[in-house]
Amino acid sequence: MEVLSLLKQFPVDLGQGTQRAVTRGKSLAKAHVPPAPRRGATLLDVGCREGTQSRIFRELGYQVTSIDVDKVWEDCQVVDCNGPLPFGDDSFDIVWSSEVIEHLIDPVAAANEMRRVLRPGGTLVLTTPNSFPVYFCGLAMVGLTPQRLQRADHLHFFDERQIRRVFPDAQLEGFLPFTGFRPRLRRGVGAWSPTFVVVERKQWPSAGRSAVPRMAVSRARVARSQG
């Protein structure tokens, strides 16, 4: 148990431990949230916990709505993200969710709800652990499986194939750990990065099609998945 506790102190997202607010994965993800482009730009922080990221986004000029399953921060709205989000279609310019989707019962339904509330032209930015980089194979051989290394309340342990199934149209990024600068990766993410950084932009509807954006059809998909 002492070895496991020590491993979780390192900034490689092994269950995040004491590093969860300052991981390289979060740093890469925040680079995709620019200063608010206009007065009144909106951002949804899904899984805000203590409000660390919400406060940063406020400083960038966004009107931030912060939600979580527990009210850890006074400005948090209590929302169970296993169900529909209590917001209208096309409500937010940015949807941010860091280290949340692995806790949810149905990641596909949750991702579709995040898409639904995102405005056309907006960006979904999400991070989640990569449970199967190559250097974890040796740990698994001595009994340190993803289930032991990560938080006990994780329901899903993603590899690259699984995360691309949930986010087929997204840009996927990560980083190379155990190096001084921990450089950004856009290739070999599944093999090397301990974190998946997912960046997905909601497309405007094509000319001649319905005014409903392509990603907004997700409400029907969510309804079917919950039926």
Side-chain angles (χ1 to χ4, degrees), residues 156-221:
H156 301 277
F157 301 89
F158 296 110
D159 60 18
E160 184 172 359
R161 179 185 60 82
Q162 292 164 336
I163 206 68
R164 288 193 183 279
R165 181 180 65 84
V166 181
F167 301 99
D169 299 321
Q171 171 185 317
L172 202 62
E173 295 183 357
F175 63 95
L176 186 64
F178 314 120
T179 60
F181 295 104
R182 289 181 290 166
R184 181 196 306 264
L185 292 177
R186 288 191 174 138
R187 293 184 179 180
V189 175
W192 296 107
S193 179
T195 300
F196 292 121
V197 178
V198 177
V199 182
E200 183 176 291
R201 290 176 175 82
K202 185 170 180 175
Q203 302 298 315
W204 289 90
S206 300
R209 294 187 178 182
S210 166
V212 179
R214 180 164 61 100
M215 294 300 185
V217 299
S218 58
R219 171 174 281 183
R221 294 174 186 159

Side-chain angles (χ1 to χ4, degrees), residues 9-118:
Q9 306 309 307
F10 287 92
V12 293
D13 294 9
L14 293 172
Q16 307 250 5
T18 60
Q19 302 292 325
R20 62 193 177 90
V22 294
T23 62
R24 176 63 169 149
K26 276 193 173 62
S27 173
L28 291 174
K30 283 186 287 189
H32 292 281
V33 182
R38 66 183 188 283
R39 184 184 296 273
T42 53
L43 182 147
L44 176 65
D45 185 356
V46 179
C48 65
R49 300 316 289 168
E50 299 89 354
T52 302
Q53 311 304 322
S54 289
R55 285 187 284 264
I56 291 172
F57 299 139
R58 282 180 178 177
E59 292 174 359
L60 290 175
Y62 290 95
Q63 293 183 2
V64 178
T65 299
S66 307
I67 63 174
D68 210 313
V69 70
D70 301 308
K71 194 177 183 66
V72 178
W73 184 42
E74 60 181 6
D75 290 345
C76 169
Q77 297 181 32
V78 176
V79 174
D80 184 355
C81 294
N82 284 303
L85 297 176
F87 310 107
D89 295 357
D90 309 338
S91 294
F92 299 96
D93 296 288
I94 303 281
V95 175
W96 166 275
S97 180
S98 185
E99 315 305 313
V100 172
I101 201 163
E102 65 274 9
H103 298 266
L104 302 179
I105 296 169
D106 187 341
V108 173
N112 283 336
E113 271 296 277
M114 294 181 205
R115 294 180 180 115
R116 179 184 66 78
V117 303
L118 187 64

